[in-house]
Amino acid sequence: MAPYPPCWSGACEDPECCARGKKCRWPELVGKSGEIAKMTIERENQNVLAIVLRARDGRIDNFCCNRVFVGIDTNGNVLITPQIG
């Protein structure tokens, strides 16, 4: 199985467009557990898959409407605002 879902973006190139009326950014999760953040994101927007990664892990550079990277520190806490992309 691939580590990431197939990318879907359509004509969208920004989180607001992709969200289609649902939430696209989660600033309130900064400092929270990465796993809690993943569950929260996927509950609040069922169209995305949240992927928890350590800050030093590589990321895919393409923009996808169905993906949210959740960057965590060495303690497993969210470092920056997760958003669709």
Side-chain angles (χ1 to χ4, degrees):
M1 187 163 99
Y4 304 113
C7 182
W8 175 84
S9 290
C12 294
E13 294 183 4
D14 67 69
E16 295 286 335
C17 173
C18 290
R20 295 183 176 180
K22 296 190 181 221
K23 197 163 183 179
C24 66
R25 290 181 185 86
W26 291 265
E28 71 279 8
L29 296 176
V30 174
K32 306 286 186 191
S33 157
E35 289 305 314
I36 296 294
K38 176 180 174 55
M39 291 187 299
T40 301
I41 291 165
E42 291 176 353
R43 182 181 70 246
E44 293 182 355
N45 185 336
Q46 297 81 29
N47 297 326
V48 300
L49 174 66
I51 302 164
V52 179
L53 295 172
R54 290 174 298 206
R56 67 178 181 266
D57 289 346
R59 296 180 184 195
I60 296 174
D61 289 332
N62 64 330
F63 183 90
C64 294
C65 285
N66 59 328
R67 178 180 66 209
V68 176
F69 285 123
V70 180
I72 58 170
D73 61 20
T74 56
N75 295 317
N77 296 319
V78 178
L79 281 171
I80 59 171
T81 298
Q83 70 176 13
I84 289 176

